Amino acid sequence: MHMDKLTSCSPRLLAESLSGKRLLEEEILLPEKCFQVLLSTKQLISIPAIENQKGSAKCIRCGNTSAHYFSEYPCGICQRKHLYCRRCIQMGRISECKPLYIWNGAEVHWPNHPNPLTWEGKLTPAQSNAAAQLEQAVNEKLPACLCWAVCGAGKSEMLFPAITAALKQGKRIALASPRVDVIRELFPRLEQAFQDVTIEALYGGSEHQAGKSQLILATTHQLMRYYQAFDVLIIDEVDAFPFYLDKSLMYAAKQAAKKQSTTLYLTATPRKNFRLQMKLGKLPHVFVPLRYHGHLLPVPKLKLSFHLSSQLANKKLPAAFRKWLMNRQNHQRQLLIFVPKISMIEELKEAITLLLLQTGAISTTEELQAVYAADKDREAKIIQFRNRELHALITTTILERGVTFPSVDVVVLDAGHEVFNEAALVQIAGRAGRSADDPSGEVIFFHDGKTDPMEKARQMILDMNERGRKL
Amino acid sequence: MNYCVYCYERIENSLTWSTWLTVEKSQALCASCAGKLEMISGKRCKVCSRAWSSSICLDCQQWRELGDNIERNYSIFHYNDTIREIITQWKFRGDYLLREIFRNELKSAFENQFANNNASLTIVPIPLSESRMQERGFNQSLALAEMLDAPVKQVLRRKSGEKQAKKNRKARLKRDNPFSITEPLKQAALIVDDIYTTGTTVRQAAQLLRLHGCPAVYSLTIARS
C-alpha cells in the first residue's frame, strides 16, 4: 500500500493517509523534510515494532508470538543482532532495528452521507431480517454481531443497510476477508451499490493504493497496517482458514478497529468458540437459513465403501461411485469431484476419466480437468467449467468455497480424510443447488467409516433446513 | 521439530541405519521445495559454469580475447523460478535466515572446487551500497562468505547505489567500475555472490583487485542465470 507521493503536505491529506495506521518509514512516502517536521511536532510518533520482554517476542504488526516465525540477522547498520518477524515479511520486514510510526495529529472527519445507497434491488424476507439486525447493531453501537448465513444466501446485499447506516453517521468502515477472491468479487458490487462513496480494495497485487478511503475492502494481511481506524469492521468468511491464520486475522481485526466500534461477522460455518458464545447469549446473532432462491440446502448422502482409502491409493475407484454415476438423478448436471490431496489428483485422473467415459458421463477425455492451488491454469479451468466447456472437474479443497457453479453434483472421495473438517464439508455441500433453475443437486460423501466431521456437517445442514422450513 | 525455512512444512527425518549412524547435515528445505532447485550438472563452460557442451562458451571466449581478469566462476544452481523467488525474499525482503538454504551446497562447492587446489584463498564479498544497507540491514554476499571456512576480507567498497537488477546487459557492461579498493590484497581472492548473470560485477571487482596486486581472482556464485 504505497501512498501517492504527497508533494504538498496539506494537513488534511496527511491526516487522511496517515491516521489509523501503523507504518514503517519506507511506507510513508513523504519528502524527508516533511517527515522530520511531523516527527519533531509529534504529529507522527514512533513505537517499537517488536516487543521483546523476558525473551518472549511479539510482532506488533501481525501479532506473531511463535518463536519459529522469528529469526535474527546481524545488522550492518548498528552492528548488533536484531530479531525480525518472518510471518508478515511479505509486507516489509518488521525488525527491532526500525520502529513503526503512528499518527498523532489532527483527527480525520469522514463525511456524513445522507443517502449513500444507489442499489435498487430488493432483499428476500430472510435477507431483510438479517440485514435489519446488522443495521441495528451498527446504530446501537453493539461491540459485535454474527450473521450465520447458509452458502448461497446472498450475503453481500444483506450488508447494504448496515453500511448505509454507518455512512450516514460519517463512520469509517472496513470489510475484511482472509480470501482475496472474496475481496475481488465484492469490490465492484460495493462500488455499484455506493456510487458516491470513495471505496478502495486492498490486496496483494493491488499495491498502489493509498488506503485512505472511508470504505476499505482488505485482505487480512492488508488490514495489518491499520490501527484503531474503523468504526465498523465487517469480517467475511471468518472461518475460511486454518486456526493459526484465523488467529492473525483476529489480531489484525482487533488492532484495526477503534476502541468503540462494531464488528460484524459473516459465516456459513461458525467455529466452536463462536457457537459457544452464541449459546451463552454473549454474542448477538442472526440466522439466514434459506438461500436467496428460497430453497432448502441439498443434504449430503453418506455412502460407505469398504477399503476405500486403500483402493484409492491403488488408483482404483470404489464400486459405489460407479453405481452412483450410472444412476444419478440428472445426468445434465456437471460433476465436481473433491479429493483430499494434490497427489491424488494425478493418481486418479486417469481412472476417473476412464470411468466417466465408460458410464457416458463424458464423451471425450478433454471434458474432464483437474485443479489445485498452485495450478497456473486454475482461473482458466474454473471459467471453462463455469461456461460448461468442461463436464467434470477434480479439485482439492481450494474450490470448497467462494466459487459458484449453477448446476452441479458434488462428490467427495474419501470424505473421512482429515482435511475434510466439518466446515469444509458444509462448504463443499454448499456448492450444489446454487441456482433457482436447479436448486437441488446431489451431494455424496464416499467414505470407509463415518467420521465426526461428516455427521456434524450433515447435522448442521439439517438444522439449517429445519430453521428454513419454519420461515 | 524442523520446519522448512521456505514453506514452513514440517520436515520429517526418517530414522534409518545410515541416518542413525552418521551425523546428518541439517536440512533447511523440505523435500518438495528442495526438489524445485536444479543443480547444474553435466557439461559446463569451465570458465563461467554455464551449461555448455564444449569447454569454453562464446561469451567467455570473448572475455578471453579482451584479456579476462578472472580465473573462473563456479555456480551451483540453475537460475529458475524457485531460486529467483527465494533470492528475492532473502535479499529484497531481507529474510536473512534463507541463506541456510544454500549452506550445505555452498560449503561442498567451496571444498570441492576451491579449498583443495589453493590453500590461501581469501574471500572477498561484493560490497553493498550505503542506501541498500540502510534498507536491508545486511550484505547478502557477506552473509554467504561467512558460511565458509576461510578468512573474509572486505577490501572493496561501492561508490554509488544503483540497482543492478534493473539494468540491462548493455548498460551493465558499459558502466564505469562501481567499486573502489580500501587495501591491496596479496593472496588469491574468491569472490562469493548470489547470482552470476553477465559476469560483469565479478570482473569489475576482479579488475580492481588485480590492479592492486592480487595474483588471481576466482568466483563462487549460488546461481547461474
Side-chain angles (χ1 to χ4, degrees):
Chain A
M1 173 189 351
H2 292 286
M3 265 169 265
D4 315 325
K5 196 102 190 174
L6 300 170
T7 38
S8 68
C9 296
S10 117
R12 201 179 67 94
L13 266 176
L14 280 174
E16 276 181 7
S17 15
L18 297 173
S19 75
K21 291 185 189 146
R22 267 189 304 222
L23 299 170
L24 287 165
E25 187 182 344
E26 68 206 49
E27 295 171 313
I28 302 174
L29 298 186
L30 287 177
E32 181 63 24
K33 246 190 205 159
C34 184
F35 180 69
Q36 291 304 337
V37 169
L38 291 177
L39 274 183
S40 63
T41 55
K42 299 217 159 62
Q43 295 185 78
L44 268 183
I45 46 180
S46 68
I47 54 164
I50 290 185
E51 255 174 27
N52 195 358
Q53 282 167 347
K54 292 174 197 142
S56 76
K58 178 180 176 182
C59 171
I60 292 303
R61 184 172 64 191
C62 76
N64 168 36
T65 52
S66 22
H68 76 275
Y69 278 113
F70 282 109
S71 189
E72 279 185 337
Y73 74 95
C75 182
I77 305 162
C78 32
Q79 314 302 331
R80 275 190 298 161
K81 279 200 166 182
H82 293 311
L83 275 184
Y84 70 95
C85 177
R86 301 192 67 217
R87 195 169 74 171
C88 60
I89 198 163
Q90 296 305 332
M91 308 175 63
R93 184 180 60 196
I94 290 286
S95 73
E96 289 175 307
C97 194
K98 291 180 180 170
L100 284 165
Y101 294 92
I102 53 180
W103 179 249
N104 190 38
E107 248 183 80
V108 182
H109 294 284
W110 300 98
N112 300 59
H113 299 266
N115 203 359
L117 188 65
T118 45
W119 181 71
E120 283 170 346
K122 243 185 124 198
L123 297 172
T124 67
Q127 282 176 322
S128 38
N129 173 44
Q133 288 217 35
L134 295 174
E135 184 184 4
Q136 199 184 353
V138 170
N139 284 331
E140 292 177 4
K141 302 186 171 63
L142 297 184
C145 184
L146 183 141
C147 175
W148 186 343
V150 294
C151 306
K155 61 193 166 174
S156 36
E157 294 83 3
M158 283 188 277
L159 291 172
F160 292 167
I163 295 173
T164 304
L167 288 169
K168 276 186 182 167
Q169 297 163 41
K171 289 183 170 178
R172 195 174 193 196
I173 308 137
L175 191 154
S177 170
R179 295 178 54 91
V180 63
D181 325 355
V182 173
I183 302 300
R184 270 205 218 111
E185 193 200 300
L186 279 179
F187 182 46
R189 290 163 71 181
L190 282 175
E191 274 191 314
Q192 271 296 310
F194 299 97
Q195 286 170 16
D196 305 322
V197 181
T198 53
I199 309 178
E200 277 172 277
L202 312 175
Y203 48 88
S206 77
E207 303 249 337
H208 297 281
Q209 299 272 355
K212 56 178 186 182
S213 301
Q214 188 169 7
L215 178 50
I216 298 275
L217 277 72
T219 53
T220 316
H221 262 87
Q222 300 295 328
L223 203 60
M224 282 176 194
R225 290 206 176 94
Y226 288 93
Y227 178 60
Q228 301 191 351
F230 302 107
D231 305 281
V232 175
L233 185 57
I234 303 161
I235 304 181
D236 197 357
E237 301 265 14
V238 59
D239 58 315
F241 267 110
F243 185 67
Y244 73 99
L245 279 173
D246 239 42
K247 241 170 75 183
S248 72
L249 171 58
M250 287 304 166
Y251 178 85
K254 215 172 162 189
Q255 298 290 311
K258 285 188 183 162
K259 292 226 164 82
Q260 292 282 318
S261 57
T262 302
T263 305
L264 306 176
Y265 299 103
L266 292 181
T267 173
T269 46
R271 279 192 195 287
K272 237 189 203 161
N273 58 342
F274 276 128
R275 277 188 258 168
L276 185 67
Q277 286 183 48
M278 284 189 262
K279 236 181 202 163
L280 296 173
K282 285 183 180 167
L283 179 61
H285 56 277
V286 56
F287 289 95
V288 188
L290 278 180
R291 292 182 153 177
Y292 77 93
H293 55 46
H295 294 271
L296 298 179
L297 297 168
V299 179
K301 286 198 188 92
L302 276 49
K303 285 212 187 285
L304 179 70
S305 172
F306 290 110
H307 313 300
L308 175 76
S309 36
S310 60
Q311 271 184 325
L312 292 178
N314 290 317
K315 305 180 189 179
K316 290 208 179 81
L317 294 169
F321 181 36
R322 172 189 296 265
K323 201 171 145 200
W324 172 78
L325 265 178
M326 307 282 286
N327 301 317
R328 64 190 181 124
Q329 298 158 1
N330 181 348
H331 289 269
Q332 297 305 306
R333 280 189 206 127
Q334 288 168 286
L335 264 176
L336 195 54
I337 302 166
F338 285 86
V339 296
K341 287 185 292 187
I342 293 178
S343 59
M344 274 173 86
I345 285 186
E346 281 313 309
E347 286 162 22
L348 293 177
K349 195 177 168 201
E350 205 185 316
I352 293 176
T353 309
L354 259 174
L355 180 64
L356 295 187
L357 282 170
Q358 282 169 4
T359 56
I362 56 174
S363 45
T364 63
T365 50
E366 284 80 42
E367 287 180 79
L368 172 86
Q369 287 293 341
V371 288
Y372 49 94
D375 187 350
K376 285 196 180 106
D377 303 323
R378 172 177 157 183
E379 277 309 311
K381 285 176 189 168
I382 292 169
I383 290 167
Q384 279 184 312
F385 189 68
R386 191 169 290 146
N387 296 341
R388 305 198 66 116
E389 287 157 36
L390 300 175
H391 182 73
L393 195 61
I394 312 173
T395 175
T396 57
T397 53
I398 54 152
L399 292 192
E400 80 180 31
R401 60 179 89 207
V403 287
T404 310
F405 307 112
S407 175
V408 291
D409 281 337
V410 177
V411 169
V412 182
L413 291 177
D414 198 8
H417 192 282
E418 60 179 7
V419 302
F420 297 120
N421 58 28
E422 179 186 358
L425 289 171
V426 170
Q427 293 286 354
I428 285 170
R431 299 309 101 205
R434 292 299 281 261
S435 84
D437 296 333
D438 183 18
S440 43
E442 290 182 73
V443 181
I444 315 284
F445 295 166
F446 289 99
H447 65 91
D448 53 7
K450 264 185 215 169
T451 58
D452 236 29
M454 276 186 253
E455 288 282 11
K456 282 188 173 157
R458 206 175 109 91
Q459 197 54 49
M460 194 190 271
I461 289 165
L462 288 171
D463 289 349
M464 273 301 186
N465 283 347
E466 199 50 49
R467 281 180 196 278
R469 262 187 216 106
K470 287 183 193 150
L471 282 188
Chain B
M1 195 120 52
N2 267 335
Y3 292 91
C4 173
V5 296
Y6 194 56
C7 74
Y8 291 104
E9 275 295 307
R10 236 181 254 172
I11 299 177
E12 286 162 38
N13 286 326
S14 54
L15 187 68
T16 64
W17 280 111
S18 67
T19 57
W20 187 65
L21 289 169
T22 57
V23 182
E24 216 194 353
K25 280 181 188 161
S26 66
Q27 234 92 77
L29 291 180
C30 66
S32 148
C33 288
K36 290 180 192 150
L37 297 182
E38 300 168 74
M39 298 265 278
I40 301 173
S41 58
K43 286 199 164 180
R44 58 169 87 193
C45 168
K46 67 177 186 186
V47 178
C48 73
S49 244
R50 140 194 299 173
W52 196 258
S53 52
S54 56
S55 101
I56 299 185
C57 75
L58 296 174
D59 274 2
C60 290
Q61 280 172 31
Q62 268 186 359
W63 282 117
R64 289 271 146 118
E65 280 160 27
L66 293 168
D68 203 356
N69 49 29
I70 65 164
E71 305 303 312
R72 64 191 172 97
N73 164 67
Y74 187 86
S75 300
I76 301 165
F77 297 104
H78 286 289
Y79 188 65
N80 64 9
D81 287 352
T82 305
I83 209 152
R84 196 192 63 229
E85 281 161 24
I86 290 173
I87 289 177
T88 301
Q89 183 166 337
W90 176 48
K91 227 164 83 165
F92 297 116
R93 305 246 183 237
D95 198 352
Y96 187 77
L97 181 67
L98 295 187
R99 75 174 183 154
E100 296 304 325
I101 293 170
F102 309 124
R103 185 184 287 273
N104 293 343
E105 268 74 24
L106 189 72
K107 278 174 94 163
S108 56
F110 176 67
E111 280 155 25
N112 299 335
Q113 297 296 324
F114 300 103
N116 295 338
N117 351 358
N118 206 329
S120 58
L121 270 181
T122 299
I123 301 183
V124 177
I126 295 291
L128 199 63
S129 73
E130 194 53 36
S131 60
R132 296 268 145 245
M133 181 57 91
Q134 284 300 327
E135 276 172 31
R136 204 175 294 166
F138 65 86
N139 175 353
Q140 79 279 356
S141 174
L142 179 64
L144 292 174
E146 285 174 344
M147 293 196 290
L148 297 176
D149 192 15
V152 176
K153 273 196 177 165
Q154 295 177 259
V155 297
L156 296 176
R157 198 180 284 165
R158 197 178 277 269
K159 287 191 212 153
S160 69
E162 290 173 284
K163 233 186 197 159
Q164 188 72 296
K166 295 266 152 33
K167 293 191 158 164
N168 64 28
R169 189 184 159 103
K170 228 179 182 173
R172 291 171 68 166
L173 290 170
K174 260 186 162 173
R175 182 188 55 166
D176 295 335
N177 198 320
F179 305 115
S180 62
I181 193 159
T182 55
E183 69 177 286
L185 187 70
K186 299 299 175 197
Q187 309 93 337
L190 175 67
I191 291 168
V192 177
D193 204 6
D194 54 347
I195 310 167
Y196 181 107
T197 306
T198 63
T200 310
T201 307
V202 175
R203 284 177 173 90
Q204 283 167 333
Q207 185 189 33
L208 266 177
L209 292 168
R210 295 291 298 270
L211 213 65
H212 293 82
C214 177
V217 180
Y218 301 85
S219 135
L220 172 57
T221 45
I222 297 298
R224 178 71 176 91
S225 81

